[in-house]
C-alpha cells in the first residue's frame, strides 16, 4: 500500500486509530472483568491518539512516531484482534474488521523500518538517538522499546543487511542490560546479534557474544554449533597470520563507526549524504559575491510590471535562482486538497522504454493536476510562465509530491541522456529543458535539494520556488544538474514541479552557437 511514502496518507491512519481506540473502550465497558489486559492497552493508545490527532502532520513529522504507527496497525492491533476474536458478535470486532482492509501491511512496516535506517545512514544518527527520540526539530517525544529495536534488527537481518541488524540488535541488548522489560528474550537478541557480527567479519566479538548466549541458554543447539565453527575459523586465521593466541574481543559497544557500511550502487553516495547533512557545501566567499537579488518582471511581462517577482541567486554556475512569495498559504492548501485523493507511489521514467515505473530510490507519493481542474492551478501555471518567460503549453502537468518517513529521491537527471532516446518520445515535445520546483512546506530537518556535482544544497522554504535549466542553449544536457531530494528527517515535505520541454521555447530561449552556450 505504501502508506509511509506520504505523511498526508498516514494522517488518515491517525484518525482511524483514534476511532479504533474509542470502539475498543466501548467493548471494554461491556466486558470489564474479562478484558483487563485489553483495557490497559486501550488506555495507553487513548493517550497517544489524543496527542497524535491534535496535530497529525506534526506528530508524524517525527519518523519514529510514523514507524511505530505502521508497526502498531500491522502487528500489535492484529495481536489484539486475535485476543478477542472468539466473540465475533461484538461491535469492536466488527469495527476493526471493517477497517482492516485499509490497514498498513507487512510491506509497509518493512518500508518504514528501512526508512529509519536510511535516515540513520544519511544523517549519521546512532540507534540510541532514534530510540530516545533525540532528533533535531522534533515537537513530540517518541521512544523505541527493546521489542521495537529487535524488530528493526530483524527486518534488516531478513534482508541480509547485517550492518543494520548489528546496530539495532546491539541497541536492543543495551536497553535490556539497562533493565528494560520486553517480550523478546535476551537469548533471541544475542542469537541474531552474534551471527550478524560474524557476517560483518568480527570473529572475536562473535565468539564472545555466542558464549554469552550459551551462558544464558546452555541447550541452544545452533549457538553451540556456531561457537565451534567460529572458533575453528578464528584458529585458522591466527595460524595463517602466525599468531598463537586468540585476539581478545573489543569491549567497546558497537556504534555507527565500528564496522564499515557496505558500498552500494550509487557512486556519489558519500558526497550526496554529506550535502544532505549540510557538509561539503562549496559556497565560497568569491562565489557568494557573485550572487544577487533582484525584481524579476519576466521580460516586461504586463502581469509583473506592477508587482514584479522577488528573485534571489542560489548558485552562480550553473545558474539556479529562487523566487520568493510565489504561492500563498491559501493556494498551497488548495493544491494539497486537490492532490490528496490522487496521491500514489511516485514513479520514474524507464530510460529504455519511456514507461513510468516505481523505483526504490524514489520514496514519495505524487499526483498530477491539470489547469482545467481549478482556477488555482491555472493561475499557478500562468505565474510560472510569466516569471520564467517560458511557455507552459508544452510543459508537463503540475506534479504534486508529498514525502513521508525518510522520503527521498536519490541523485538523478531531469533530462534524458543520449543513451535514453525513448525517455520522452511519447510526449512529442522534446527533452526537459528546465525545472521549476515549488516548495509548499517548511521542513524541520532534512529534505534539502542537493547537487553533488558542484556541491550545492538548497533548503525548502514554504512559498518559494527554485528554477534551473537542464539543457544548454545548444540542446546538450548539462550533466552538472544531477540532483537529489534528501531524506526528510523530521517534518512533512510538500513540493510541486513543472518541467518545461524544448518544443515551444524556440523563440523564448533561442539556440546557442556552441555546445556549452
Amino acid at each position: 500500500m505504501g502508506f509511509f511514502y506520504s505523511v498526508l496518507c498516514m494522517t488518515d491512519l491517525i484518525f482511524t486509530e483514534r476511532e479504533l481506540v474509542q470502539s475498543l473502550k466501548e467493548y471494554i465497558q461491556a466486558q470489564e472483568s474479562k478484558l483487563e489486559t485489553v483495557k490497559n492497552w486501550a488506555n495507553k493508545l487513548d493517550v497517544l491518539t489524543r496527542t497524535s490527532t491534535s496535530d497529525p502532520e506534526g506528530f508524524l513529522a517525527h519518523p519514529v512516531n510514523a514507524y511505530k504507527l505502521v508497526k502498531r496497525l500491522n502487528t500489535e492491533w492484529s495481536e489484539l484482534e486475535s485476543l478477542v476474536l472468539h466473540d465475533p458478535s461484538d461491535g469492536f470486532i466488527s469495527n476493526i474488521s471493517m477497517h482492516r482492509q485499509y490497514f498498513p501491511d507487512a510491506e509497509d512496516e518493512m518500508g518504514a523500518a528501512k526508512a529509519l535506517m536510511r535516515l540513520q545512514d544519511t544523517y549519521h544518527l546512532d540507534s540510541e538517538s532514534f530510540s530516545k527520540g533525540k532528533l533535531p526539530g522534533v515537537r513530540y517525544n517518541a521512544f523505541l522499546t527493546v521489542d521495537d529495536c529487535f524488530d528493526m534488527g530483524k527486518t534488516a537481518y531478513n534482508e541480509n543487511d547485517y550492518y543494520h541488524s548489528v546496530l539495532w540488535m546491539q541497541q536492543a541488548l543495551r536497553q535490556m542490560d539497562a533493565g528494560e522489560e520486553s517480550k523478546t528474550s535476551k537469548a533471541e537478541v544475542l542469537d541474531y546479534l552474534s551471527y550478524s557480527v560474524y557476517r560483518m567479519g568480527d570473529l572475536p566479538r562473535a565468539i564472545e557474544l555466542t558464549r554469552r548466549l550459551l551462558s544464558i541458554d546452555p541447550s541452544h543447539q545452533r549457538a553451540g554449533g556456531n561457537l565451534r565453527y567460529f572458533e575453528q575459523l578464528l584458529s585458522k586465521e591466527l595460524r595463517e597470520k602466525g599468531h598463537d593466541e586468540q585476539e581478545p574481543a573489543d569491549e567497546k559497544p558497537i556504534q555507527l563507526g565500528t564496522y564499515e557500511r557496505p558500498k552500494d550502487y550509487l557512486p556519489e553516495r558519500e558526497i550526496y549524504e554529506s550535502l544532505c547533512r549540510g557538509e561539503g557545501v562549496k559556497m565560497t566567499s568569491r562565489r557568494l559575491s557573485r550572487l544577487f537579488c533582484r525584481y524579476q518582471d519576466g521580460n516586461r511581462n504586463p502581469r509583473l510590471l506592477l508587482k514584479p517577482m522577488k528573485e534571489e541567486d542560489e548558485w552562480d554556475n550553473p545558474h539556479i535562482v529562487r523566487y520568493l512569495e510565489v504561492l500563498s498559504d491559501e493556494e498551497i492548501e488548495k493544491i494539497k486538497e486537490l492532490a490528496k485523493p490522487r496521491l500514489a507511489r511516485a514513479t520514474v521514467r524507464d530510460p529504455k522504454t519511456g514507461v513510468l515505473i516505481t523505483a526504490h530510490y524514489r520514496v514519495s507519493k505524487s499526483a498530477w493536476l491539470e489547469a482545467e481542474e481549478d482556477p488555482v492551478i491555472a493561475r499557478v501555471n500562468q505565474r510560472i510562465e510569466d516569471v520564467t518567460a517560458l511557455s507552459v503549453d508544452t510543459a508537463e502537468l503540475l506534479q504534486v509530491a508529498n514525502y513521508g518517513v525518510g522520503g527521498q529521491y536519490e541523485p538523478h537527471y531531469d533530462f534524458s541522456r543520449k543513451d535514453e532516446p525513448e525517455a520522452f518520445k511519447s510526449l512529442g515535445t522534446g527533452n526537459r529543458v528546465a525545472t521549476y520546483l515549488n516548495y509548499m512546506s517548511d521542513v524541520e530537518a532534512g529534505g534539502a535539494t542537493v547537487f553533488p556535482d558542484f556541491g550545492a544544497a538548497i533548503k525548502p522554504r514554504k512559498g518559494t520556488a527554485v528554477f534551473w535549466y537542464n539543457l544548454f542553449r545548444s540542446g546538450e544536457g548539462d550533466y552538472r544538474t544531477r540532483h537529489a531530494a534528501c531524506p526528510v528527517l523530521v517534518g512533512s515535505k510538500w513540493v510541486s514541479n513543472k518541467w518545461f520541454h524544448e518544443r515551444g521555447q524556440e523563440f523564448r530561449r533561442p539556440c546557442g552557437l556552441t555546445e556549452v552556450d
Side-chain angles (χ1 to χ4, degrees):
M1 295 183 186
F3 281 101
F4 71 96
Y5 295 134
S6 164
V7 167
L8 179 65
C9 293
M10 291 184 68
T11 60
D12 293 337
L13 299 181
I14 290 284
F15 292 102
T16 296
E17 192 170 37
R18 175 66 180 267
E19 184 179 341
L20 289 173
V21 172
Q22 184 59 38
S23 176
L24 180 58
K25 292 182 72 175
E26 293 171 0
Y27 173 70
I28 291 171
Q29 290 174 1
Q31 302 191 43
E32 187 76 36
S33 60
K34 175 183 174 183
L35 298 173
E36 188 62 29
T37 303
V38 180
K39 183 178 179 180
N40 292 336
W41 166 262
N43 288 336
K44 182 180 72 172
L45 265 292
D46 192 33
V47 172
L48 176 62
T49 53
R50 277 203 304 270
T51 301
S52 62
T53 52
S54 66
D55 180 13
E57 286 208 11
F59 183 81
L60 289 172
H62 198 306
V64 170
N65 282 334
Y67 166 70
K68 294 191 73 169
L69 172 64
V70 171
K71 182 173 181 287
R72 279 197 304 277
L73 287 172
N74 178 56
T75 304
E76 297 174 14
W77 277 101
S78 298
E79 294 172 356
L80 190 67
E81 182 181 12
S82 299
L83 181 64
V84 296
L85 199 57
H86 64 277
D87 187 5
S89 64
D90 186 83
F92 172 68
I93 295 297
S94 301
N95 196 6
I96 196 171
S97 297
M98 177 184 68
H99 284 296
R100 170 152 297 285
Q101 60 183 316
Y102 304 111
F103 276 14
D105 54 22
E107 182 181 351
D108 284 303
E109 184 174 340
M110 181 177 70
K114 286 183 175 180
L116 290 193
M117 296 174 204
R118 183 162 57 248
L119 293 174
Q120 182 178 26
D121 293 339
T122 303
Y123 298 105
H124 285 181
L125 298 167
D126 58 31
S127 304
E128 188 172 10
S129 296
F130 273 110
S131 182
K132 294 184 177 181
K134 295 179 180 178
L135 300 179
V138 295
R139 286 175 279 171
Y140 297 90
N141 290 327
F143 305 95
L144 291 174
T145 64
V146 168
D147 297 315
D148 292 331
C149 295
F150 176 76
D151 288 341
M152 290 283 294
K154 195 172 179 181
T155 295
Y157 183 92
N158 290 337
E159 293 285 305
N160 297 323
D161 179 3
Y162 300 108
Y163 173 78
H164 288 106
S165 179
V166 166
L167 293 176
W168 286 100
M169 290 299 175
Q170 168 76 15
Q171 181 59 29
L173 186 62
R174 184 183 291 114
Q175 292 177 214
M176 277 184 163
D177 288 343
E180 183 180 324
E181 296 183 0
S182 66
K183 293 185 297 183
T184 307
S185 70
K186 191 170 288 189
E188 286 180 281
V189 175
L190 286 166
D191 190 16
Y192 280 97
L193 179 58
S194 59
Y195 186 76
S196 297
V197 165
Y198 153 67
R199 291 302 298 263
M200 291 305 296
D202 190 348
L203 279 171
R205 196 191 298 256
I207 290 170
E208 182 61 35
L209 289 167
T210 307
R211 286 173 178 167
R212 184 177 174 187
L213 168 56
L214 286 169
S215 69
I216 296 172
D217 183 4
S219 61
H220 199 294
Q221 292 185 348
R222 184 170 57 253
N226 284 348
L227 180 60
R228 289 189 294 273
Y229 178 65
F230 296 161
E231 288 176 336
Q232 289 172 1
L233 284 180
L234 184 59
S235 296
K236 181 181 178 182
E237 283 187 9
L238 292 173
R239 286 196 302 271
E240 290 175 352
K241 293 179 180 178
H243 298 306
D244 296 327
E245 297 182 3
Q246 177 177 320
E247 298 176 6
D250 191 344
E251 296 297 323
K252 295 180 180 178
I254 300 169
Q255 303 288 357
L256 276 176
T258 302
Y259 303 123
E260 184 178 350
R261 178 179 160 199
K263 302 291 183 183
D264 64 11
Y265 55 87
L266 195 62
E268 68 262 70
R269 171 72 65 188
E270 291 184 9
I271 297 174
Y272 155 54
E273 292 184 348
S274 66
L275 286 170
C276 289
R277 295 190 298 271
E279 302 167 6
V281 177
K282 298 178 181 177
M283 177 58 73
T284 62
S285 56
R286 183 177 180 182
R287 172 169 282 126
L288 191 61
S289 69
R290 294 196 291 265
L291 305 184
F292 300 93
C293 58
R294 64 192 68 83
Y295 285 106
Q296 172 64 264
D297 63 9
N299 293 335
R300 298 192 62 76
N301 186 293
R303 281 178 288 268
L304 294 177
L305 285 178
L306 292 179
K307 188 181 179 181
M309 190 70 70
K310 298 174 182 176
E311 180 182 288
E312 295 178 347
D313 291 329
E314 284 281 349
W315 207 259
D316 58 339
N317 189 23
H319 195 204
I320 303 174
V321 298
R322 188 194 294 263
Y323 302 115
L324 309 185
E325 300 172 12
V326 294
L327 289 177
S328 67
D329 289 346
E330 292 75 19
E331 288 172 330
I332 288 172
E333 290 308 311
K334 186 62 179 180
I335 292 171
K336 289 163 65 174
E337 177 189 327
L338 293 169
K340 181 178 179 180
R342 304 184 215 174
L343 286 175
R345 174 77 189 274
T347 56
V348 297
R349 198 172 292 275
D350 188 303
K352 295 183 179 179
T353 65
V355 176
L356 293 174
I357 58 172
T358 59
H360 66 276
Y361 53 83
R362 188 177 191 183
V363 182
S364 64
K365 285 197 170 185
S366 63
W368 299 84
L369 302 180
E370 298 190 42
E372 294 76 15
E373 295 181 48
D374 192 276
V376 167
I377 305 303
R379 187 164 67 244
V380 168
N381 282 347
Q382 185 63 63
R383 191 177 302 148
I384 294 173
E385 178 173 291
D386 290 345
V387 72
T388 62
L390 295 177
S391 172
V392 297
D393 292 344
T394 55
E396 296 175 43
L397 301 180
L398 189 69
Q399 186 201 58
V400 181
N402 180 222
Y403 292 81
V405 185
Q408 64 161 4
Y409 191 176
E410 289 182 353
H412 62 282
Y413 300 101
D414 279 352
F415 65 93
S416 65
R417 275 77 67 213
K418 291 181 179 179
D419 58 348
E420 302 169 341
E422 303 296 319
F424 300 114
K425 187 176 182 180
S426 62
L427 300 179
T429 52
N431 210 342
R432 281 177 172 170
V433 67
T435 295
Y436 184 100
L437 173 62
N438 284 310
Y439 292 119
M440 302 198 302
S441 66
D442 293 314
V443 180
E444 286 89 337
T449 304
V450 300
F451 295 78
D453 184 82
F454 51 89
I458 299 173
K459 295 182 179 180
R461 284 160 54 190
K462 185 178 181 181
T464 71
V466 292
F467 173 79
W468 67 86
Y469 283 101
N470 298 304
L471 307 180
F472 293 110
R473 287 182 179 271
S474 63
E476 292 295 319
D478 187 346
Y479 284 81
R480 299 171 301 172
T481 61
R482 183 169 167 86
H483 62 285
C486 293
V488 176
L489 177 57
V490 178
S492 175
K493 181 182 176 183
W494 283 91
V495 298
S496 55
N497 300 286
K498 177 66 74 172
W499 286 292
F500 294 94
H501 284 252
E502 291 175 292
R503 185 163 298 173
Q505 318 302 343
E506 294 86 351
F507 297 104
R508 297 185 181 227
R509 193 191 189 223
C511 291
L513 299 178
T514 65
E515 191 173 283
V516 294
D517 278 347

